[in-house]
Amino acid sequence: GDSVTQTEGLVTLTKGLPVMLNCTYQTTYSPFLFWYVQHLNEAPKLLLKSSTDNKRTEHQGFYATLHKSSSSFHLQKSSVQLSDSALYFCALSTGSFNKLTFGAGTRLAVCP
Amino acid sequence: EAAVTQSPRSKVAVTGGKVTLSCHQTNNHDYMYWYRQDTGHGLRLIHYSYVADSTEKGDIPDGYKASRPSQENFSLILELASLSQTAVYFCASSDPPRHSNERLFFGHGTKLSVL
């Protein structure tokens, strides 16, 4: 079946530094990839999505490029802010019904 | 912004008891989902529905039932709650996929503790 791997459980950074959160996936179908962000005590919200190979997608300073050749969809930001501290989920959808397969999540902690 | 409301926000249940988690959406979405969140596992799909009066099993349906009495409402039922069902439960809704898969709108979650 489908799977999503996020290798980092916790990433701790100082404000202003760049960040990359890793996401790789496995599927035999055509993939749609998503990044959802969950701030403390809030609902997960969509941050980015893509199904186009090798095209960068951006939102709120975050960006990601789907690379089907390497089955990756890493999330990046050039300069993190304190407000970026949250739990980030990579998710995969391959068929109808918008069903998502989530990775385990990466907690990003930004320090002053 | 689309609205998905879950109730209760938290609940303590006894092992073997019955638990019902409720979800209400005002987005006019046809699709609704129940996910559970456990540390280290992300979110996992329990049940989903794409039309009223019909539900489908997700990836981890064992021990759970679902009910979709109307487009707006979707309930998750634990007939015999067990310790392993302690988790945070999220309801979500979405439009049907058209040109691409649609985003999910999540509720704030229900924290369930089974003792």
Side-chain angles (χ1 to χ4, degrees):
Chain A
D2 296 344
S3 66
V4 175
T5 301
Q6 295 181 248
T7 53
E8 309 98 353
L10 172 65
V11 173
T12 303
L13 285 172
T14 301
K15 181 181 68 173
L17 291 179
V19 66
M20 184 171 81
L21 306 183
N22 291 313
C23 173
T24 57
Y25 63 90
Q26 286 189 323
T27 183
T28 56
Y29 300 97
S30 183
F32 289 88
L33 271 296
F34 302 79
W35 277 100
Y36 279 83
V37 58
Q38 184 182 18
H39 288 92
L40 191 62
N41 297 324
E42 293 187 8
K45 293 181 181 179
L46 178 67
L47 182 58
L48 295 171
K49 72 173 185 177
S50 180
S51 61
T52 305
D53 199 11
N54 297 319
K55 181 180 178 181
R56 175 164 152 162
T57 182
E58 301 187 35
H59 185 62
Q60 296 182 336
F62 287 91
Y63 58 95
T65 303
L66 176 59
H67 293 294
K68 293 183 180 181
S69 61
S70 59
S71 299
S72 67
F73 190 57
H74 305 317
L75 182 67
Q76 300 183 71
K77 190 174 187 184
S78 58
S79 175
V80 294
Q81 304 303 311
L82 296 175
S83 58
D84 295 328
S85 294
L87 187 57
Y88 291 82
F89 292 104
C90 184
L92 166 69
S93 179
T94 58
S96 54
F97 305 114
N98 293 331
K99 295 189 295 177
L100 293 176
T101 299
F102 283 85
T106 298
R107 183 166 298 281
L108 175 62
V110 181
C111 304
Chain B
E1 179 76 4
V4 179
T5 305
Q6 294 182 231
S7 61
R9 290 295 299 271
S10 66
K11 182 173 181 63
V12 178
V14 296
T15 303
K18 183 177 180 178
V19 176
T20 300
L21 307 182
S22 299
C23 179
H24 179 80
Q25 54 104 354
T26 58
N27 310 323
N28 199 32
H29 286 162
D30 288 327
Y31 288 34
M32 296 188 74
Y33 313 81
W34 276 106
Y35 284 88
R36 67 175 278 174
Q37 182 179 30
D38 301 276
T39 303
H41 283 93
L43 285 81
R44 292 180 290 174
L45 181 64
I46 307 171
H47 285 287
Y48 66 100
S49 169
Y50 55 90
V51 67
D53 294 322
S54 177
T55 64
E56 306 292 333
K57 293 181 180 179
D59 299 324
I60 54 164
D62 293 345
Y64 302 94
K65 292 183 180 180
S67 174
R68 182 90 182 272
S70 64
Q71 185 195 43
E72 298 82 12
N73 296 295
F74 192 35
S75 297
L76 186 68
I77 303 148
L78 290 67
E79 295 279 1
L80 296 170
S82 67
L83 294 172
S84 64
Q85 293 177 312
T86 292
V88 178
Y89 291 84
F90 285 97
C91 178
S93 72
S94 77
D95 281 319
R98 298 184 188 90
H99 303 293
S100 67
N101 280 24
E102 300 294 329
R103 62 181 288 189
L104 269 60
F105 292 87
F106 285 89
H108 278 73
T110 295
K111 184 175 182 180
L112 175 65
S113 299
V114 182
L115 306 178

